[in-house]
Amino acid sequence: MGLTISKSLTDYIKARYAVLVIESFEEERVLGELQGIAKAINHDLYIWNSTDGVTYANGSGASQEKTLDFTAALKFCENRAKEQGSRNIFVFCDADGYLNNKAPAANRRRLRDFAINIRKKGYVSNCIIIAPTFEITTDLQKEVTLIDFPLPSREEVKSIISAFLEQYKNVQGVTINVDNELLDKFVDASIGLTKLEIDNCLARALVSNRRIDASDLKGILAEKKQIIRKTGILEYIDSQLNLNDVGGLQTLKKWLELRSHCFGDEAMKFGVKPPKGVLLTGIPGCGKSLTAKCVATAWNMPLLRLDMGKIFQGVVGSSESNIRLALKTAEAISPSILWIDEIEKGLSGASGGGGDGGTSVRVFGTLLTWMQEKTSPVFVFATANNINGLPPELLRKGRFDEIFFVDFPSSEERKKILEIHISKLGRNKADFDLNRLAELSGESQFGKDVVLAGAELEAWVSDALIQAFSRRIDGEQNADLSMKDFETTIKRVVPMGQMRKDEFLKIREWANENAVSASLSQNTPNGVVQSEEFIGGRKLDF
């Protein structure tokens, strides 16, 4: 455990904070840390759980009789604390179920009495509760102090892996082929996991072929992804896409490119702070989510998708705990990208008036505070289709570095998007008149200010391919995708921009004042703006 948390815990104990709560899934690791602290400050350590009762951790480890009951354990601890000259740390591992709102109020009253006596009678003792999550009831709010217990730091992860490899280095029939460079890669792959999870990953790699070498790195990464997904809140996105797969949005891509080098030690020494994040808002189906997947590959960073819908659960207090856990995990894996897709849907009740008892407001407050004050290199990539659904606090400077507006693609952008999709089908782009295709998907086909979105262009390519395949099925043996198929299928398309024209016009008006256009200005060679250049947002040219 790092020096900071060790000293922090020691200071709390020496200051005689009566009740400390450590929220952590790593009970074994926390207990190990407390054992070290107890030894360093010459305290006796007692540990209670619901199956063994109170156990004296400093000596034989024998459990005390008749202390399985929580209140009986508290009585035993207070009797021990009364003894002349005794110095104690009392740890409770299963206390959360005995102290929540559903438990008898007498349990909480008993703990409060013990805490009061620690202060009033001068007991040299502390109560420490370890739990993955802990519901702080109203009557315990002034007695309880929450302590953060972060996941293992990079130095700790390196120590854990090194200790595991050292343990099996000289075992007959086992080959450990890990140099310093590969060790660093193993550390990178394991950041964000608990000590137990790291040990499990390494053990699984070892038993599969009785060796650990570079070939096991992918297996550890795969195991890490499964562990992150197991939370049900964060999803590890494994994307092979890059920014070349995004048609257009040149201003946004240039902005991201300039910040891709701002996360290393060199940038830190130069005085550059890690970018906070970016918010993409605008027309649905125009590449916002796709860009998030591409940035992770371009920056060579893990991409964690935060599902705001899964943050909110039925148990009181669990939503707040879920958001804290997700943010801690993202920080532990940093540098990383935290992708919050359609953020407005998850924060729909954050402006008040919701019927969730204020849960949305509290979750939103936790997220806002973290975004404002975080120092770890976690880049927040948020997308939103409906900017009106976002609380104004989220949009002010300091939360995001920039707000970009993604509008319908211009003629040049549509040509690029169509070229990308045609090439992915294994067809030669030279066989198609891209200028004509851009024209068919624009204003000349559908009317003023109505063009196809990126997702609609992709669907058009798919429809045209089906049209070509149907010709082959009907007996045209050499039939393949052609301009004719595009011209036939475009007649069946009803653009989203036509159905929601007024709505998108209002969004564009907002963007002209409050956001930066993700696209470059598209001018003709003679400097005259193209007729369909209606893209919203302030224009930046790099």
Side-chain angles (χ1 to χ4, degrees), residues 5-77:
I5 184 62
S6 179
K7 185 179 186 308
S8 176
L9 261 175
T10 303
D11 289 345
Y12 277 117
I13 291 170
K14 285 184 174 181
R16 210 61 59 215
Y17 277 62
V19 183
L20 302 174
V21 172
I22 300 175
E23 287 192 328
S24 174
F25 286 94
E26 298 187 272
E27 181 181 293
E28 184 179 354
R29 183 165 156 254
V30 177
L31 289 175
E33 180 65 23
L34 290 173
Q35 285 179 322
I37 292 174
K39 184 177 181 180
I41 63 176
N42 195 28
H43 277 46
D44 288 327
L45 180 66
Y46 292 88
I47 302 170
W48 176 87
N49 63 48
S50 57
T51 57
D52 295 328
V54 177
T55 301
Y56 181 49
N58 296 61
S60 63
S63 60
Q64 304 295 321
E65 295 182 1
K66 299 181 180 179
T67 57
L68 290 177
D69 179 72
F70 178 71
T71 54
L74 280 174
K75 183 177 181 181
F76 167 86
C77 292

Side-chain angles (χ1 to χ4, degrees), residues 169-182:
K169 185 172 65 175
N170 297 318
V171 174
Q172 187 174 0
V174 172
T175 302
I176 305 294
N177 188 14
V178 180
D179 58 17
N180 289 334
E181 182 180 354
L182 183 57

Side-chain angles (χ1 to χ4, degrees), residues 74 127 175 203 239 253 259 269 281 283 306 369 379 387 416 434 439 444 520:
L74 280 174
C127 293
T175 302
S239 173
K253 289 196 284 189
R259 283 151 183 80
K269 291 176 183 177
T281 185
I283 309 301
L306 175 61
T369 302
F379 186 82
I387 200 70
K416 184 62 179 176
L434 292 174
E439 183 181 352
S444 63
L520 285 173

